[in-house]
Amino acid sequence: MELTLRRDDSEETLRLYSDYFSVCLARGVESENLYGIYEKVRKNSALLYSENVTLLSRSADSDDESELIKIFDRYLLTLKKIISVYSYNAVFFSSNSRARLEMNGSIDNFEKLTEVKPETLFFIANHPDELEPTHEKNGIQIGSFFYLPRKTLVFKNKLNFDVYENRVVVSFLEDVILKTKGAADNLGQFFEGLPLLSLSDEFYINTSSIVLEEYKGLYNEISQKLLEALKEIKKIHFQYSRFLPVTRLKGGFTPKPTPVFLNIPQYRQIYAVMRE
C-alpha cells in the first residue's frame, strides 16, 4: 500500500509504503477476477517480486510462465549434454583410456618369469628356501646338482590409469554432483522459507496464495529436473570410477588444455563440455 502526503502550501510530496500484506476476498464475481488481476500485475510490475530472488525478478515482465523455467535451461541443457557425452564415450574409456605403462614386481611362480632383472637375482640369492632340485641343466648349479626356485620376483607390465586427464574426467563428475545437489537443496530451502498460506476456504480466497502457489509449482518443476539429472550423473560417476581408479582432484578446478584433451576425440568432447 502506498500513501502520498502533500502539503497545500508546498509542491513537495512524501511517499510511504507499507510492508506487503495479504488480502482475503469473499468468494464471488469480484474474487474470480483475481486471476486476471494477478496476470496483469505479473506482466507489468516488478514490485511484486523480491530483488533478492533473481528468478522471480527476471520473470516479472514475462507473458509466459515457462520463462521462469527457461532461466534454468542453459544449466539443465548442459547437464543433459554431460550425461550424453559421458554415456556415448563410456565404451572408449572402459578399454582405451590413456595410461602409463609401469613395471610392477610381485612374488609369483617361476614359470611366469619372462625377464631376469637384477632384482630377480637378488631375490633368489636371498631366498634359498625357495630352491628345489631339477633335472634341467639350465637351472642354478650347486656342485653337481641343479636347482630352480618355486617362486621368485616376477615383473609384469601394468597400466596405471592415474594420469591427469583421467583424474579430471572423474573429478569433474563429482564436482557437478556436488553443485547440482547444492542447487536442488537451495531450492528446497526456498520452499521452506515461503509463507504457508491456505489457497482458499469455503468463504474466502487469499490473494497472496495465488502468487505463491504459482511459483511453488514452478520451483518444484525445476527441482524435479535437477534431481532427475543428478540421478543420471551419479550412475555415470559410478561407472567411470570403475573404469578409472584415479586420485581425485578437489572441486573448483579448471581443466588444463593438455594435448590429450585437445587431440584425442573422446577426451576433447568431454573437455568441451567441462569448459561449458
Side-chain angles (χ1 to χ4, degrees):
M1 178 177 292
E2 176 184 340
L3 179 64
T4 303
L5 302 178
R6 183 175 63 248
R7 293 168 55 96
D8 289 338
D9 58 352
S10 173
E11 295 296 326
E12 294 183 3
T13 59
L14 175 65
R15 286 188 172 84
L16 305 175
Y17 299 89
S18 72
D19 292 333
Y20 293 115
F21 58 87
S22 296
V23 176
C24 293
L25 296 183
R27 284 187 173 276
V29 177
E30 288 81 5
S31 65
E32 293 301 320
N33 289 332
L34 278 175
Y35 294 94
I37 294 171
Y38 161 66
E39 285 299 317
K40 187 72 173 177
V41 172
R42 185 173 68 87
K43 293 174 183 178
N44 295 283
S45 177
L47 291 176
L48 180 62
Y49 308 100
S50 167
E51 293 181 358
N52 295 323
V53 185
T54 306
L55 297 175
L56 299 184
S57 299
R58 290 181 58 183
S59 65
D61 57 355
S62 169
D63 293 339
D64 185 357
E65 293 174 352
S66 64
E67 284 300 310
L68 180 59
I69 300 294
K70 289 179 181 178
I71 294 171
F72 273 105
D73 272 357
R74 182 175 180 184
Y75 186 70
L76 290 170
L77 287 173
T78 303
L79 290 180
K80 290 179 180 179
K81 187 179 291 186
I82 291 169
I83 294 169
S84 176
V85 169
Y86 270 82
S87 298
Y88 180 78
N89 290 303
V91 174
F92 170 85
F93 281 95
S94 67
S95 56
N96 296 294
S97 301
R98 297 288 291 186
R100 294 193 304 268
L101 192 62
E102 295 181 348
M103 188 75 74
N104 286 347
S106 61
I107 309 302
D108 210 334
N109 294 330
F110 180 76
E111 291 79 9
K112 296 183 180 180
L113 181 65
T114 58
E115 182 181 359
V116 177
K117 291 180 171 289
E119 294 86 351
T120 306
L121 298 176
F122 183 81
F123 179 88
I124 293 173
N126 284 275
H127 294 82
D129 53 304
E130 292 289 345
L131 296 176
E132 59 183 9
T134 179
H135 296 294
E136 298 183 20
K137 303 299 183 182
N138 59 351
I140 300 172
Q141 184 175 2
I142 303 177
S144 59
F145 297 97
F146 291 88
Y147 298 86
L148 287 177
R150 287 186 296 272
K151 292 183 179 294
T152 188
L153 185 60
V154 177
F155 286 88
K156 298 177 183 178
N157 288 328
K158 183 180 179 180
L159 292 176
N160 184 350
F161 295 97
D162 196 16
V163 299
Y164 171 75
E165 290 79 10
N166 293 340
R167 293 174 189 170
V168 172
V169 167
V170 177
S171 299
F172 171 72
L173 288 175
E174 295 178 352
D175 198 37
V176 171
I177 289 172
L178 185 64
K179 290 179 179 177
T180 304
K181 185 178 183 302
D185 289 345
N186 286 339
L187 285 173
Q189 291 174 9
F190 181 82
F191 285 136
E192 296 173 1
L194 292 177
L196 297 175
L197 299 177
S198 174
L199 180 60
S200 61
D201 62 18
E202 184 179 355
F203 303 104
Y204 292 93
I205 291 181
N206 187 323
T207 58
S208 298
S209 65
I210 295 175
V211 177
L212 289 174
E213 293 301 320
E214 176 87 11
Y215 282 104
K216 281 182 180 179
L218 293 176
Y219 272 104
N220 186 59
E221 183 176 344
I222 293 169
S223 293
Q224 189 62 36
K225 289 184 178 181
L226 287 174
L227 292 175
E228 289 173 359
L230 182 61
K231 183 178 180 180
E232 290 299 316
I233 292 176
K234 283 183 175 179
K235 289 180 181 178
I236 292 172
H237 173 256
F238 176 77
Q239 187 180 34
Y240 272 74
S241 295
R242 294 177 62 192
F243 300 157
L244 306 173
V246 298
T247 305
R248 302 299 195 264
L249 300 176
K250 294 184 179 180
F253 60 88
T254 301
K256 302 174 185 177
T258 65
V260 172
F261 276 136
L262 298 180
N263 299 322
I264 299 177
Q266 292 81 3
Y267 280 91
R268 186 168 64 244
Q269 292 175 34
I270 286 184
Y271 177 74
V273 80
M274 284 191 294
R275 296 291 299 181
E276 185 174 336

